[in-house]
Amino acid sequence: MMCALGAAVCFGTATVLQAVATRAASAPGDDGAGAGPGGQTALLLRAVRQWRYLAGLALDGLGFVFQIAALRSLPIYAVGAALASSLAVTAVVAARLLRVRLNGMEWGAVGVVCAGLAMLGLASGAEGHRPGTDTLRYVTLGVAVAVLLLGLGAGRWTGPGRSAALGLGAGFGFGVVEVSVRLIDSVTPSALLTNPATYALLVGGGAAFLLLTSALERGSVTAATAGMVIGETLGPAAVGVIWLGDRTREGLTWLAVLGFAVAVTGALALARFGEAPTATGAMDMGSSEKSKDPERQRGADAGGSERQRGADAEGSGRQRGADAEGSDRGR
């Protein structure tokens, strides 16, 4: 379990570092949805030139090592529950580095997700020892290819739930990686080259990084991470229970089901209320400037009226002086 928690710390910190890098790497003509010059591939190539993105990749690599060690000794759903604590890490680091001010709703949703997946962790039993079939290996490879195609077309997605949706797709890709690790029985070169799970691991991991990079370019980091955690937890947990023999503890199946429901509810709340802080700030500044314009106009009008009254008074005084002088000459 310590390996799983260590992976959570690495993944949570890496998420924010990659968010900083992808926002800095956005092209000047980018519309905020990754549809700038070159699309998602160009965005990824620009991002990898940022040291923060490279540091995030290094942390992802270290976290992956921890994750493999955990998957070799725990059920898939238990590892997923432990990795869910990366939400709390992401929120804290994002508030520090991105200056994101999380409101009470977001903090509450983070707590709900973590609580739900913690219940799932408490209900976990022993790791299943049922070997995976070749059919399952090929299906896993097919899912990985589908996630890759989703990532290649994600650049033109728009909408308030974009970050959560792309994060969910990235979670499916990382879920493929989890299942693939369990489906690799031997690490000899010949066995790896002939095992479809090896290619599923590579394709799913690459597609997940592509989707996550797009999700973090704009929008709430916490919402994207929530979708990612749900995606990499629900599906792999079902595969582990149904096809790989993972089980819950005796009499705690209800707690596992409740944990899943609570986690999904919290993730949906984050997806709905997550907002991009840069966009919000720009809107607030724009509204502030607009509110100041009427005041400035009223001030200008008042100043003009005062000057006009002063000019009228001066003109009247001169006219009275001229009339008086004319009267004296007449007498």
Side-chain angles (χ1 to χ4, degrees):
M1 185 61 73
M2 293 301 297
C3 288
L5 293 177
V9 173
C10 292
F11 291 147
T13 305
T15 296
V16 181
L17 290 177
Q18 290 164 358
V20 174
T22 52
R23 294 182 181 187
S26 298
D30 203 327
D31 63 357
Q40 299 305 301
T41 304
L43 171 63
L44 182 59
L45 292 177
R46 292 193 301 269
V48 296
R49 300 173 185 173
Q50 304 283 330
W51 71 265
R52 291 181 180 86
Y53 197 90
L54 295 177
L57 289 179
L59 286 174
D60 280 327
L62 180 60
F64 182 62
V65 173
F66 287 144
Q67 183 179 1
I68 291 177
L71 287 169
R72 291 298 183 181
S73 59
L74 294 172
I76 293 179
Y77 61 83
V79 176
L83 292 178
S85 62
S86 65
L87 280 173
V89 177
T90 297
V92 173
V93 178
R96 178 71 176 177
L97 295 184
L98 296 181
R99 301 184 184 276
V100 176
R101 181 171 297 178
L102 301 177
N103 57 36
M105 181 68 69
E106 288 176 321
W107 281 116
V110 170
V112 167
V113 172
C114 291
L117 293 177
M119 286 188 285
L120 181 62
L122 292 175
S124 64
E127 176 194 9
H129 298 284
R130 187 184 305 168
T133 64
D134 288 338
T135 300
L136 180 59
R137 291 182 175 90
Y138 280 109
V139 169
T140 303
L141 178 58
V143 173
V145 173
V147 173
L148 178 60
L149 295 177
L150 179 65
L152 294 176
R156 302 188 182 279
W157 285 23
T158 58
R162 176 180 179 275
S163 294
L166 294 182
L168 184 64
F172 289 150
F174 290 126
V176 167
V177 173
E178 294 181 10
V179 175
S180 299
V181 170
R182 289 283 298 273
L183 293 176
I184 296 176
D185 300 324
S186 176
V187 294
T188 61
S190 59
L192 289 175
L193 291 176
T194 57
N195 192 340
T198 303
Y199 303 99
L201 188 152
L202 297 175
V203 174
F209 274 117
L210 185 63
L211 276 168
L212 185 59
T213 299
S214 179
L216 296 177
E217 183 187 4
R218 294 291 187 274
S220 172
V221 174
T222 309
T225 307
M228 181 184 68
V229 169
I230 296 301
E232 70 178 350
T233 304
L234 295 178
V239 172
V241 171
I242 297 174
W243 286 287
L244 298 179
D246 291 344
R247 291 290 180 266
T248 62
R249 292 183 180 179
E250 187 68 26
L252 292 181
T253 302
W254 65 270
L255 184 61
V257 174
L258 178 61
F260 272 121
V262 171
V264 170
T265 302
L268 290 177
L270 282 172
R272 180 176 180 178
F273 294 102
E275 296 290 344
T278 53
T280 303
M283 292 176 60
D284 292 342
M285 291 179 63
S287 301
S288 177
E289 291 297 325
K290 290 180 180 180
S291 65
K292 291 179 181 178
D293 287 342
E295 296 294 336
R296 293 173 180 172
Q297 185 63 38
R298 286 195 293 270
D301 294 341
S305 299
E306 292 295 335
R307 288 193 293 271
Q308 183 63 36
R309 285 196 294 270
D312 293 342
E314 182 179 359
S316 298
R318 290 176 180 175
Q319 183 64 37
R320 286 195 296 272
D323 293 341
E325 182 178 357
S327 298
D328 292 339
R329 290 176 179 177
R331 288 194 295 269

